[in-house]
Amino acid sequence: MALSSPGTGPETGATSTGTAGPATPTGATGASTPGPAAPTGATGKGVPGPTAGPAVPGSPTAPRPTRGLLPLLFTGNTAMYALYIGVPGMLLALQIEAVDPAGKVANFGLVSGISAIFATVFNPVAGALSDRSGRRNPWILAGGLLALPVMLLLGSVHTILLVTIAWCLGQAVMNVYQAALTSVVPDRVPLAARGKASAAVGLGLPVGSTIGALLGAAFSEHYRTGYLVFGAIVAATAVLFTACAREERMPPKAALPVKAQIAAFGGALKDHDFRWAFIGRALLVLGYFAVAGFQLYILKDHTDLPAGLSAEEAVAILMPVNSVAMVVSTVLGGWLSDRLDRRKLFVGASAALAALALLVPAFSASWTAMLVFSVVNGLGFGCYMAVDTALVTMVLPRAEDAARDMGVLNVANAGPQIVAPFVASLIVSLTGGYTALFLVAAVLSVLGALAVRPIRSVR
């Protein structure tokens, strides 16, 4: 379910704020990419100095990206989101319910939360490693190929403990894949094309979500086979991407002492604009995943489904509806934000729209309310992820540490996913239902919309 150049405005190519953070989410979804050293003579954040240096990836002077890179980015993100939606959203939830039906909500929250910790750790670590190696493609290939045996392992276990361990391994390998893949946009795409690239990446979410939901429903009674199918899709996509998307090796980075790395990872948050972008993303993602992670259980225990419609079938209906809305808003949001050179307006409005969507099922448990929620939520979240990722790449503290700094942002993606399952299961357990969960998520989305207002360097 998540894309302009490292700098603070449409014309910047590099910045000189001396802090950096880890590599990037998510679940969801951002672009995290480091580039070679910033142009020599840079004199302040985003202000080029008198001496020209080598072109920074993604800057106006960067070479044109590989022909067909945008379709490859779309394909790579589609495969990733298909697994992220189909596995935890359907197969994992069904597997946990089969192991312990009475404790499914608490167990699902526990497994999701612990595995999200692994996502938080492995994403920035993998981004930093790809920075040091000066390569992305080998990490994309390795993470994608390892998804297949890990999914085989996940489908073969039968206790909550082993499910937790196996899905943590799944999060680890998928975040190796994701950290390198999301770094491709700032590495290889010029500033003027960032909106289009963000749209290509963002489209992977609705299309991947639909594929994931349909495959998850198709294999709901044979989840072991379903796991293998998702692993094979990611592996095949990794091979396709690395075979077709040429890559120029960047200058590898020297290893830093552990203390220096830790200081660099947290240092990015000292930058005013980047810090507020981080806060806004964290709030919206927390609200989104508090609800999205429990969709199957919401349909089973909260929604009044029409006679003859199972919860699994309902998911397979809602996801395409949500995805169509998301595709429309992702394309229009990315294009309009480029054309009008306005990012904050679109980010704030789309986050507010996501909050409005959450109020619909809060006040009605009908199937119609869930359909309306899917449409409005898709419009809001699709536009948000496309434009917010573009906004974030414009406020990165340092161009040469883009992957690590985007890794800090992906803590805002993965971190709230650690908290969301625990928060959601606690709210549901204390209130005995899901209405309060929708209301809390709506408040978080509103706060996420307000968080972009203090950003100064992007309109």
Side-chain angles (χ1 to χ4, degrees):
M1 321 127 327
L3 295 149
S4 196
S5 147
T8 61
E11 298 303 320
T12 26
T15 67
S16 59
T17 306
T19 55
T24 143
T26 198
T29 81
S32 69
T33 318
T40 16
T43 61
K45 188 168 184 177
V47 183
T51 309
V56 176
S59 73
T61 58
R64 293 181 63 83
T66 302
R67 183 181 297 276
L69 180 61
L70 298 191
L72 289 170
L73 283 169
F74 165 71
T75 304
N77 281 275
T78 295
M80 179 179 73
Y81 285 118
L83 187 146
Y84 278 153
I85 296 299
V87 170
M90 183 71 75
L91 302 183
L92 191 66
L94 292 171
Q95 186 177 13
I96 290 172
E97 185 178 31
V99 173
D100 181 9
K104 66 180 183 181
V105 172
N107 287 331
F108 187 73
L110 181 66
V111 173
S112 300
I114 292 175
S115 63
I117 294 174
F118 275 74
T120 303
V121 171
F122 274 87
N123 197 290
V125 169
L129 288 173
S130 69
D131 278 357
R132 281 187 58 189
S133 68
R135 301 288 303 277
R136 308 298 179 199
N137 283 7
W139 299 94
I140 294 172
L141 183 62
L145 292 178
L146 285 173
L148 185 57
V150 171
M151 289 298 105
L152 174 62
L153 174 64
L154 181 57
S156 64
V157 297
H158 303 286
T159 67
I160 297 299
L161 175 60
L162 292 179
V163 168
T164 303
I165 293 172
W167 182 228
C168 283
L169 291 174
Q171 287 280 23
V173 301
M174 285 304 299
N175 275 274
V176 169
Y177 173 92
Q178 180 182 4
L181 183 66
T182 54
S183 298
V184 169
V185 171
D187 269 357
R188 310 182 199 177
V189 179
L191 264 175
R194 286 290 176 83
K196 298 181 184 69
S198 297
V201 171
L203 283 173
L205 176 58
V207 177
S209 298
T210 299
I211 294 172
L214 293 175
L215 287 176
F219 292 101
S220 60
E221 296 182 2
H222 306 281
Y223 56 77
R224 177 180 294 184
T225 303
Y227 283 132
L228 282 176
V229 170
F230 282 115
I233 289 173
V234 173
T237 302
V239 172
L240 175 67
F241 186 95
T242 55
C244 297
R246 71 176 185 271
E247 176 181 40
E248 294 183 9
R249 181 186 292 272
M250 298 178 295
K253 292 189 173 183
L256 291 175
V258 174
K259 288 185 179 180
Q261 292 185 42
I262 294 173
F265 284 175
L269 294 177
K270 295 179 181 178
D271 182 89
H272 175 273
D273 286 356
F274 186 81
R275 181 171 63 251
W276 279 108
F278 178 95
I279 292 170
R281 175 70 67 91
L283 289 169
L284 189 106
V285 169
L286 178 58
Y288 181 84
F289 278 98
V291 172
F294 286 81
Q295 180 175 245
L296 183 64
Y297 296 161
I298 288 172
L299 289 168
K300 285 189 172 187
D301 304 329
H302 172 80
T303 308
D304 297 326
L305 296 176
L309 182 67
S310 69
E312 293 82 1
E313 292 169 338
V315 171
I317 293 172
L318 290 178
M319 275 300 180
V321 170
N322 178 268
S323 296
V324 170
M326 199 175 292
V327 167
V328 171
S329 64
T330 296
V331 173
L332 287 179
W335 178 74
L336 285 173
S337 70
D338 275 354
R339 186 174 181 84
L340 301 177
D341 190 23
R342 299 292 297 271
R343 314 292 178 181
K344 290 168 60 176
L345 173 64
F346 286 91
V347 170
S350 57
L353 187 60
L356 180 63
L358 287 160
L359 296 178
V360 178
F363 294 105
S364 174
S366 69
W367 170 238
T368 301
M370 285 302 296
L371 288 170
V372 172
F373 164 71
S374 292
V375 173
V376 180
N377 182 62
L379 292 173
F381 196 71
C383 180
Y384 179 88
M385 290 306 293
V387 181
D388 186 63
T389 305
L391 180 151
V392 168
T393 62
M394 288 178 166
V395 298
L396 293 177
R398 286 170 57 105
E400 63 268 31
D401 291 321
R404 289 191 307 161
D405 292 345
M406 287 301 296
V408 175
L409 178 74
N410 267 5
V411 172
N413 290 333
Q417 293 181 59
I418 298 173
V419 180
F422 299 122
V423 170
S425 60
L426 181 63
I427 292 172
V428 173
S429 298
L430 291 177
T431 62
Y434 292 90
T435 299
L437 179 61
F438 287 117
L439 294 176
V440 170
V443 171
L444 291 169
S445 296
V446 170
L447 294 175
L450 295 175
V452 299
R453 295 191 64 187
I455 295 176
R456 302 164 182 160
S457 58
V458 178
R459 295 176 63 209

